[in-house]
Amino acid sequence: TASAVKEELLKKYPPKVARKRAASILVNEALENSTPEIQANVRTIPGVITMRGCTYAGCKGVIMGPTRDIVNIVHGPIGCSFYAWLTRRNQTDPGPDGQNYMPYAFSTDMQDSDIIFGGEKKLKAAIQEAYDLFHPKGICVFATCPVGLIGDDIHAVSREMKEKLGDCNVFAFSCEGYKGVSQSAGHHIANNQVFRHLVGTEDRAKEGEYKINLLGEYNIGGDGFEIDRVLKRCGITNIATFSGNSSYDQFATAHKADLSCVMCHRSINYVADMLETKYGIPWIKVNFIGAEATAKSLRKIGQYFGDKALQDRIEAVIAEEMAPVKAAQAEVRPRTQGKTAMLFVGGSRAHHYQELFAELGMKTIAAGYEFAHRDDYEGRQVIPNLKVDADSRNIEEIEVSADPVAYKPRKSAGEMQGLEESGFAFKDYDGMIPDMDKGSLVIDDLNQYEAEKLVEIFKPDIFCAGIKEKYSIQKLGIPMKQLHSYDYGGPYAGFKGAANFYREIDRMVNSRVWSYMKAPWQ
Ligand code: HCA
């Protein structure tokens, strides 16, 4: 049983560690009128090999990494710069004349002497050099651990350079790697600064009848391209994606959208709130991972705008797009039905991808997040009960109020209420736990030891996580799919992406190569 597995996982630990980990390992049970509580977003125990990334990785790599025409300068040692250099395989489409700096790794390449004497001069010179070479609209500066330790004032340097350059928006992120308990802190730091320094600075936005923003979509393996293709077919205009396939101007005009659609709520739900408070843009949760989820999300957008012509068009697009997806499903499903998966990714993906696996007839027997908070597991309703600790207090919450000029309610209070009364949910998302089978395991911040033990006990047909787990899991004879970078595949979002995913998983779970491996317990 799952409880016996939990005991087995904890057996090896010293008592204090076992006690701490026990609160993050949950056997899913159906409680009446409530969801079981899990410990999340707390520090990893020193000595444990965590799957988590650092705050800098979340800020520079995840959020700002997919933005093409901002020069992102890492102030730090070259290893940090290299680590966050396109490793998530975010794609971008600059068009024929657009600027694209994503293939570059800009770094101050800090040396011992900079640590001793300070690195501010070097940073100024780097900003000047980047400006002279490229004349970008924006330059962003990212702090790494040593910068925080020696106290270089990257914000003062950025302010000074912004003033000096005149036509370039320079701003910085205090995203030292150690700053939060995981990369989630880095997402927050990145999004706060984009909101503060960039959103709402340009009024000439794309035209369109039904204008949305897509929040928490990072265009990994081309996911964003597929979503944009589908939106366009439906006649929906995407003003800004935060931040897949994004550009400076998209962020600057995000306040012109009439609805924010939130994909990965973990990395960005607070931005949706700020856009609503400051500009009057309501937000909803969407999910474009899974064909059924995609259809449901499109219908939800249609319902929000409430226009019959749009809704008819959405239905026609769904009917047309669904046909080849169903055909792919029918072909693959006899070979995938009944197989098992484990998912340990992100702060939304471990939940979203369960829908795709369900479409293949596969069961998720254990899942968890690297950097989630309790609401990602239990649902948004728990937010008011979350404990504020020293670590969460360390991450700034921006106070915003209605913009005196740009604030405009998109719907009247009566219209909003009408939608809500018809069952339409604004500002809400479900947790992963209630969607998982009773008796399944939900584990926060899984570590190397527990991952290997789980695989040994359950021998799942596939294990999904990130680059740090990739090869150790494969060496146990289990196919491993990266759901951060998608290995070399994708897109997996939308309709075409779903069919891609079915074929990829079929290939992986039915390959005989894994049976030739000898795991340590064999
Ligand atoms: C990071 C980035 C990461 C994890 C990457 C991975 C991401 O923290 O380094 O393990 O494959 O989301 O891409 O969090």
Side-chain angles (χ1 to χ4, degrees):
T1 66
S3 304
V5 173
K6 177 171 174 176
E7 252 171 64
E8 180 67 24
L9 292 181
L10 296 173
K11 214 164 69 186
K12 184 107 176 170
Y13 292 131
K16 208 169 144 191
V17 175
R19 225 174 19 251
K20 282 193 174 160
R21 284 301 298 151
S24 300
I25 303 177
L26 185 132
V27 176
N28 196 15
E29 48 189 355
L31 297 181
E32 219 171 302
N33 300 326
S34 76
T35 303
E37 186 177 322
I38 190 166
Q39 169 178 269
N41 196 36
V42 296
R43 288 182 196 187
T44 300
I45 301 160
V48 158
I49 304 178
T50 173
M51 292 167 67
R52 284 174 167 168
C54 68
T55 297
Y56 156 79
C59 182
K60 158 66 172 79
V62 175
I63 305 294
M64 297 310 285
T67 299
R68 62 175 165 264
D69 55 359
I70 295 176
V71 168
N72 288 324
I73 301 180
V74 175
H75 189 31
I78 199 66
C80 300
S81 313
F82 185 79
Y83 180 73
W85 178 30
L86 265 187
T87 37
R88 277 169 54 96
R89 299 183 57 252
N90 312 104
Q91 298 184 10
T92 200
D93 177 13
D97 317 307
Q99 296 166 321
N100 179 13
Y101 308 119
M102 279 167 57
Y104 295 86
F106 298 97
S107 175
T108 54
D109 185 19
M110 272 183 131
Q111 303 295 317
D112 296 0
S113 58
D114 303 316
I115 305 286
I116 296 164
F117 299 108
E120 290 180 7
K121 271 199 204 131
K122 202 170 186 184
L123 176 60
K124 268 183 226 174
I127 295 171
Q128 186 68 54
E129 188 182 342
Y131 179 80
D132 293 342
L133 281 171
F134 298 107
H135 292 278
K137 290 181 183 160
I139 295 180
C140 286
V141 175
F142 301 85
T144 53
C145 293
V147 169
L149 296 174
I150 66 174
D152 274 0
D153 191 343
I154 56 172
H155 301 285
V157 170
S158 300
R159 264 194 310 273
E160 184 188 323
M161 292 307 288
K162 179 177 172 168
E163 207 162 291
K164 178 173 174 203
L165 301 175
D167 61 351
C168 179
N169 190 0
V170 188
F171 56 98
F173 304 86
S174 289
C175 57
E176 293 82 357
Y178 56 75
K179 189 126 186 191
V181 303
S182 73
Q183 57 267 63
S184 169
H187 307 151
H188 209 140
I189 292 164
N191 286 317
N192 279 352
Q193 291 295 74
V194 167
F195 193 82
R196 182 181 271 140
H197 292 278
L198 196 39
V199 169
T201 54
E202 169 63 60
D203 273 337
R204 280 167 306 173
K206 263 187 244 171
E207 292 298 328
E209 214 171 328
Y210 312 106
K211 291 180 294 203
I212 65 161
N213 290 322
L214 185 57
L215 272 55
E217 203 307 305
Y218 301 100
N219 203 22
I220 291 164
D223 272 358
F225 293 155
E226 166 63 5
I227 298 170
D228 280 345
R229 181 188 72 81
V230 174
L231 290 173
K232 199 165 166 193
R233 284 203 66 192
C234 296
I236 299 162
T237 305
N238 182 6
I239 298 285
T241 300
F242 288 61
S243 55
N245 191 28
S246 59
S247 65
Y248 187 96
D249 288 343
Q250 285 183 33
F251 288 130
T253 55
H255 62 304
K256 293 295 193 185
D258 293 322
L259 175 70
S260 294
C261 300
V262 180
M263 271 277 281
C264 171
H265 50 267
R266 175 66 275 133
S267 55
I268 201 154
N269 64 82
Y270 34 85
V271 172
D273 273 336
M274 294 192 283
L275 283 167
E276 177 154 29
T277 310
K278 186 161 180 185
Y279 301 109
I281 310 171
W283 70 267
I284 57 171
K285 164 78 185 165
V286 293
N287 175 21
F288 290 105
I289 300 297
E292 293 299 338
T294 300
K296 200 170 137 198
S297 298
L298 292 172
R299 289 188 175 120
K300 199 166 169 185
I301 297 172
Q303 197 187 346
Y304 169 81
F305 285 106
D307 185 329
K308 175 87 170 55
L310 172 67
Q311 285 171 317
D312 288 348
R313 192 156 164 187
I314 287 173
E315 288 308 326
V317 170
I318 292 173
E320 227 180 280
E321 296 278 343
M322 218 33 131
V325 175
K326 290 284 179 208
Q329 226 178 70
E331 185 206 321
V332 164
R333 207 166 152 139
R335 293 188 295 269
T336 51
Q337 180 80 36
K339 298 215 184 267
T340 56
M342 289 186 180
L343 287 95
F344 292 93
V345 252
S348 294
R349 281 178 190 227
H351 188 182
H352 290 163
Y353 273 83
Q354 293 191 28
E355 300 216 24
L356 264 177
F357 278 113
E359 289 174 3
L360 288 166
M362 290 177 63
K363 193 170 147 67
T364 304
I365 49 178
Y369 297 127
E370 265 182 15
F371 54 81
H373 301 205
R374 269 184 53 204
D375 47 307
D376 306 315
Y377 286 106
E378 299 168 46
R380 194 171 162 85
Q381 74 284 352
V382 302
I383 287 185
N385 313 329
L386 294 188
K387 250 202 335 257
V388 178
D389 60 13
D391 291 309
S392 43
R393 207 174 292 121
N394 201 17
I395 307 305
E396 183 191 22
E397 291 287 344
I398 313 189
E399 280 292 323
V400 294
S401 50
D403 188 284
V405 183
Y407 180 86
K408 179 172 74 88
R410 298 325 202 246
K411 288 201 181 281
S412 69
E415 284 170 327
M416 297 283 283
Q417 200 186 340
L419 273 167
E420 276 176 326
E421 277 166 9
S422 71
F424 190 93
F426 286 104
K427 298 158 88 85
D428 198 22
Y429 44 80
D430 296 330
M432 175 169 87
I433 293 174
D435 278 350
M436 285 187 70
D437 285 351
K438 192 165 178 269
S440 54
L441 274 164
V442 183
I443 308 181
D444 187 60
D445 187 21
L446 188 79
N447 58 52
Q448 185 68 33
Y449 167 72
E450 291 165 9
E452 290 188 15
K453 203 78 199 157
L454 276 185
V455 166
E456 184 184 333
I457 296 169
F458 285 106
K459 304 195 177 52
D461 293 296
I462 195 162
F463 190 99
C464 303
I467 187 62
K468 299 183 280 308
E469 298 74 46
K470 174 83 181 166
Y471 300 101
S472 65
I473 298 293
Q474 286 187 171
K475 284 177 186 165
L476 303 177
I478 303 291
M480 197 286 181
K481 179 72 193 166
Q482 290 192 64
L483 284 187
H484 294 275
S485 71
Y486 295 171
D487 297 300
Y488 308 101
Y492 299 135
F495 297 109
K496 290 201 170 151
N500 270 345
F501 192 77
Y502 303 156
R503 294 199 186 92
E504 171 76 345
I505 297 306
D506 176 31
R507 183 183 71 76
M508 292 183 78
V509 298
N510 289 303
S511 162
R512 275 182 305 162
V513 71
W514 306 106
S515 63
Y516 298 119
M517 303 279 308
K518 241 185 159 21
W521 60 79
Q522 285 176 326

